[in-house]
Amino acid sequence: MKRAGPSRGALPGTGGARLRLSALLRILAALCLPALLALAGTAPRKVVVGINRDYPPYEYLDASGRPAGYDVDLLRALADVEGLDLEFKADTWDGTLQAFRAGRLDMLAGMLHSQAREAFADFSTPHLVVHYSIFVRRGDPRVRGEADLAGLHTLVERGSQMDDHLRAAGLGPFLVPVDSEPEALRRLAAGQGDAAVAPQLEGLVLAKQDHLGIQSVGGPLFTRQLCFATRKGDSELLFRLNTGLAILNQTGRYAELYQGWFGHLEPDPREGRALARRALAILGLVAAALILVALWNRSLRRQVAQATARLHQANREIRDREAFLDTVVENLPVAVFGKDPRRNYAFTLWNARSEQIFGLAKAEVMGRTDQDFFPQAQAEAFRAKDEEVIRAGRILEIPEERVLSRSRGEIVLHTRKVPLFDETGVPILILGISEDITDQRTMEEALRQAQKLESLGVLAGGIAHDFNNLLTAILGNLGLAGLHAPEGHPALPFLRNAEATALRAAELTRQMLAYSGKGVFEVRPVDLNQAAGEMASLLKVSISKKVALRFRFAEGLPAIEADAAQLQQVVMNLVTNASEAIGEDEGEILLATGMAELDAAQAAALHPGSPIPPGRYVFLEVEDSGTGMAPEVL
């Protein structure tokens, strides 16, 4: 008869495979834990856990009203190793499920996995397999399988997967929903139904404890994996649950909990020996020799079968652990890779995050080396670090390294590497973990630039304020001198010219104050072509007589939001710089406007550190025929 048993992903390991897997898990924990704790925080996380108040032996409220059961004990042991602060909330299964879906619970201590439930929950590695069976009163011959339930009143837990399964099979009109599976079994024993469907292990425990007089019939009707369930998207809590299960598994604590709750249900081998003794007494001395031979043959076959079963079980456990470890590595939020020093440092491990960061698929990386994908200088730098970590024989920390990614260009990584050696001291693997810190470095650079500009603005504001005070006095005196000079006085043109120049200086002062944040920009819709065209005369007299100024304005440009005075000053500065670049030679300056469509890469290249969004932009361009700057100057 099948009973609930530990899930494949959580069975204890054996032999050298256990040691190797345990070592690898510890290494991964040592490498990943700093980054994960930085994300999760160091204080214990408060977790509100929903449990079914009447689902023994998995989860229930004991006689004192305290949470108990296999799921509760397993979760408490996991909380001890993962630093979780648990608060249990007990209700009927239907009420607990509704509270979880409404967001009032962080997780469920036990929920059967199904594709439909993946729409609103994420599931941990399964820690138990639950088999559902049909139960009837002892001696009732009417039911031998699911088809026999048609027309019979069948008790089932309301809102459970078994409820959904039987309704999908067309048995809905005959179902009698109740609040819990123990209630269904007790009501069956009391004659309030023809059959009940419940977990086989739960039914056996309850029938034995309460002497219910019921029995299971047929084989397992429905089999599901029992998991912890978290709210959709809570990857941090899900990762800690899976990590805790792995640690309990490796330390043997999981096996202790399972044996404590379910070990007493295993069949007693002494029953078989007692039966053999009774059979031997019945057969008598006449058949003693034949019986001894039969028992001897049977013992040999049993020993062979047991040895074979243990070997198959050990192989299954090794495969399960490898699958579990692969799942953990594949879903880590950092790049995990491995190289074999015995094969010229060829890659033997490459997880999904590595594919995203480096832009290299696992299929093309495995079995090849850095020289096949990266520039020579970079590949040689990687090789030097690999050889260094083997010589050191310990974790090598690389706080920042710049790497060329196929999909993203140059990126910045924080990498840790650790060597693994066999029992003879020969290096067999270099395990590396890389965290992408490109965005972090970009934000730090943007912050530094902002701080520089802020400092420059403070300096400019102070200078402009003092200079503006001087200009106020100059303009005042020039105005008074003009009032006292009669019309036609030879000094009057010079006074007016000085006043105009001082007013231009005041305008520059206003711009410096605006730049420093102490002035006010008059931002309004401006026609770029008109603003530049109005400056034509002023621009021509501001440049060398040997330089020709031409205009090429695009038609139909939309208005831009700008300060007109600031914009014209920018145009004046650009044209003046272009004239100075030509010098005393004859030349030409072209002032052009237009519109351009920028994609994300072009926008980021124009404004590194604080990229502008992609889209349509109006531009102004000044081009001159001067010699320009040498590449080394740039």
Side-chain angles (χ1 to χ4, degrees), residues 54 56 138 181-183 185-187 189-190 202-214:
D54 194 11
R138 194 175 302 278
E181 287 155 343
E183 180 184 351
L185 296 171
R186 293 187 181 101
R187 290 180 62 174
E202 182 179 6
L204 294 175
V205 171
L206 198 62
K208 183 176 180 180
Q209 289 178 349
D210 296 356
H211 307 289
L212 295 183
I214 60 175

Side-chain angles (χ1 to χ4, degrees), residues 576-590:
T576 302
N577 289 343
S579 175
E580 292 175 353
I582 296 174
E584 297 300 324
D585 298 330
E586 294 184 354
E588 180 179 272
I589 297 175
L590 174 63

Side-chain angles (χ1 to χ4, degrees), residues 563-575:
D563 181 288
Q566 292 284 322
L567 179 62
Q568 290 179 343
Q569 186 62 47
V570 169
V571 174
M572 173 65 75
N573 291 343
L574 291 174
V575 173

Side-chain angles (χ1 to χ4, degrees), residues 519-537:
V520 179
F521 285 111
E522 186 181 350
V523 179
R524 57 183 176 81
V526 175
D527 185 329
L528 181 60
N529 289 343
Q530 181 181 350
E534 290 175 350
M535 299 182 63
S537 300

Side-chain angles (χ1 to χ4, degrees), residues 375-407:
Q376 181 178 355
Q378 196 170 80
E380 290 175 355
F382 291 159
R383 175 63 62 85
K385 292 295 184 183
D386 293 341
E387 293 173 349
E388 179 181 349
V389 73
I390 288 178
R391 289 193 302 269
R394 54 183 173 80
I395 293 178
L396 176 65
E397 186 89 11
I398 308 173
E400 181 174 317
E401 61 178 353
R402 298 187 177 272
V403 179
L404 189 62
S405 168
R406 177 185 292 178
S407 57

Side-chain angles (χ1 to χ4, degrees), residues 143-195:
V143 180
R144 288 293 178 268
E146 182 177 344
D148 299 327
L149 295 176
L152 300 180
H153 292 91
T154 303
L155 297 152
V156 66
E157 182 180 44
R158 182 182 294 105
S160 65
Q161 284 200 27
M162 202 65 247
D163 189 2
D164 297 337
H165 172 78
L166 294 177
R167 292 183 187 278
L171 298 175
F174 312 111
L175 297 182
V176 181
V178 296
D179 287 338
S180 68
E181 287 155 343
E183 180 184 351
L185 296 171
R186 293 187 181 101
R187 290 180 62 174
L188 171 66
Q192 300 177 19
D194 299 313

Side-chain angles (χ1 to χ4, degrees), residues 207-473:
K208 183 176 180 180
Q209 289 178 349
D210 296 356
H211 307 289
L212 295 183
I214 60 175
Q215 64 181 13
S216 65
V217 294
L221 181 65
F222 191 77
T223 300
R224 283 290 184 272
Q225 293 176 327
L226 186 64
C227 310
F228 298 131
T230 66
R231 289 206 297 263
K232 198 70 179 175
D234 193 348
S235 57
E236 184 266 334
L237 178 57
L238 183 64
F239 179 82
R240 293 178 74 169
L241 293 174
N242 285 332
T243 303
L245 281 174
I247 294 173
L248 294 180
N249 186 10
Q250 292 299 320
T251 60
R253 179 61 176 151
Y254 173 87
E256 293 175 6
L257 290 172
Y258 178 81
Q259 186 66 24
W261 279 98
F262 307 121
H264 66 283
L265 297 174
E266 299 296 331
D268 190 346
R270 292 176 295 183
E271 295 179 2
R273 290 194 294 270
L275 180 62
R277 286 195 297 270
R278 288 193 296 271
L280 182 61
I282 294 172
L283 290 177
L285 295 177
V286 177
L290 293 176
I291 294 175
L292 288 174
V293 172
L295 291 175
W296 181 64
N297 288 335
R298 180 182 178 185
S299 177
L300 287 178
R301 287 195 299 269
R302 180 182 297 172
Q303 292 177 22
V304 172
Q306 290 176 347
T308 303
R310 285 195 298 269
L311 180 59
H312 288 322
Q313 179 67 16
N315 289 333
R316 281 196 300 270
E317 290 173 355
I318 291 173
R319 289 194 299 268
D320 290 344
R321 274 156 185 75
E322 291 175 346
F324 174 77
L325 181 59
D326 289 342
T327 301
V328 171
V329 171
E330 196 66 14
N331 291 280
L332 286 173
V334 291
V336 180
F337 55 90
K339 303 177 185 179
D340 189 347
R342 300 165 299 180
R343 297 168 52 196
N344 195 29
Y345 298 90
F347 287 101
T348 58
L349 177 62
W350 193 261
N351 73 343
R353 184 58 177 154
S354 298
E355 294 184 334
Q356 297 171 2
I357 289 178
F358 296 96
L360 298 170
K362 182 177 182 179
E364 66 178 311
V365 171
M366 298 297 283
R368 302 173 69 182
T369 66
D370 292 322
Q371 283 76 8
D372 297 322
F373 306 104
F374 300 102
Q376 181 178 355
Q378 196 170 80
E380 290 175 355
F382 291 159
R383 175 63 62 85
K385 292 295 184 183
D386 293 341
E387 293 173 349
E388 179 181 349
V389 73
I390 288 178
R391 289 193 302 269
R394 54 183 173 80
I395 293 178
L396 176 65
E397 186 89 11
I398 308 173
E400 181 174 317
E401 61 178 353
R402 298 187 177 272
V403 179
L404 189 62
S405 168
R406 177 185 292 178
S407 57
R408 300 169 52 200
E410 186 180 81
I411 58 176
V412 184
L413 301 178
H414 179 194
T415 300
R416 300 178 183 88
K417 292 184 176 181
V418 60
L420 273 71
F421 302 86
D422 64 12
E423 59 274 11
T424 65
V426 175
I428 58 174
L429 181 70
I430 293 178
L431 186 64
I433 287 187
S434 292
E435 180 185 4
D436 187 357
I437 58 172
T438 306
D439 293 340
Q440 177 183 340
R441 290 294 182 266
T442 300
M443 288 188 290
E444 291 173 353
E445 179 62 26
L447 178 60
R448 283 194 292 269
Q449 292 297 331
Q451 290 172 340
K452 290 179 181 178
L453 292 176
E454 182 180 3
S455 300
L456 185 59
V458 172
L459 177 62
I463 295 173
H465 186 272
D466 293 339
F467 189 59
N468 191 57
N469 292 337
L470 297 175
L471 287 175
T472 300

